[in-house]
């Protein structure tokens, strides 16, 4: 299953802009989720991708390369563990869309 969540606000033109985007779905589709939302991202939008540790060399690799190498994003990785296994390293990729 896939999920994404967003919070938006109205701009003066009435168009909704996304200010917070949480990506947690099929790892190989994470980049396509972001690209689908990108036209609606507000400058300063916080984009958080779950499971960026366990899938870093697999399905999420294209997403991670995209946000890390793209000058439109300022990105950092926050390491943690899986919520149900303390012995499995995972993490969040936290990016700010610069516009």
């Amino acid at each position: 299953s896939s999920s994404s969540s967003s919070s938006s606000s109205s701009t003066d033109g009435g168009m909704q802009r996304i200010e917070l985007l949480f990506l947690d779905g099929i790892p190989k589709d994470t980049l396509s989720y972001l690209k689908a939302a990108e036209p609606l991202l507000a400058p300063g939008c916080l984009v958080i991708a779950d499971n960026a540790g366990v899938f870093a060399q697999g399905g999420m690799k294209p997403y991670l390369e995209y946000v890390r190498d793209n000058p439109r994003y300022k990105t950092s990785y926050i390491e943690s563990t899986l919520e149900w296994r303390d012995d499995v390293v995972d993490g969040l990729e936290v990016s700010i869309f610069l516009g």
Side-chain angles (χ1 to χ4, degrees):
S1 75
S2 68
S3 67
S4 67
S5 183
S6 66
S7 174
S8 61
S9 69
S10 217
T11 63
D12 52 340
M15 178 136 174
Q16 294 291 310
R17 292 284 178 196
I18 298 170
E19 295 180 323
L20 172 66
L21 181 66
F22 183 80
L23 302 170
D24 184 21
I26 300 168
K28 69 178 181 61
D29 292 336
T30 306
L31 181 55
S32 63
Y33 302 150
L34 176 63
K35 286 189 174 185
E38 239 174 8
L40 298 174
L41 298 183
C45 176
L46 188 62
V47 179
I48 303 168
D50 198 15
N51 302 120
V54 293
F55 296 114
Q57 296 305 312
M60 285 190 68
K61 189 172 183 178
Y63 172 86
L64 296 173
E65 290 174 348
Y66 181 79
V67 294
R68 290 174 180 174
D69 297 336
N70 191 326
R72 296 173 67 197
Y73 291 91
K74 181 179 178 186
T75 298
S76 60
Y77 175 72
I78 300 173
E79 187 175 291
S80 62
T81 58
L82 288 176
E83 56 270 24
W84 65 90
R85 296 239 352 231
D86 288 340
D87 61 332
V88 179
V89 175
D90 194 14
L92 300 170
E93 191 76 6
V94 179
S95 305
I96 299 171
F97 178 69
L98 302 175

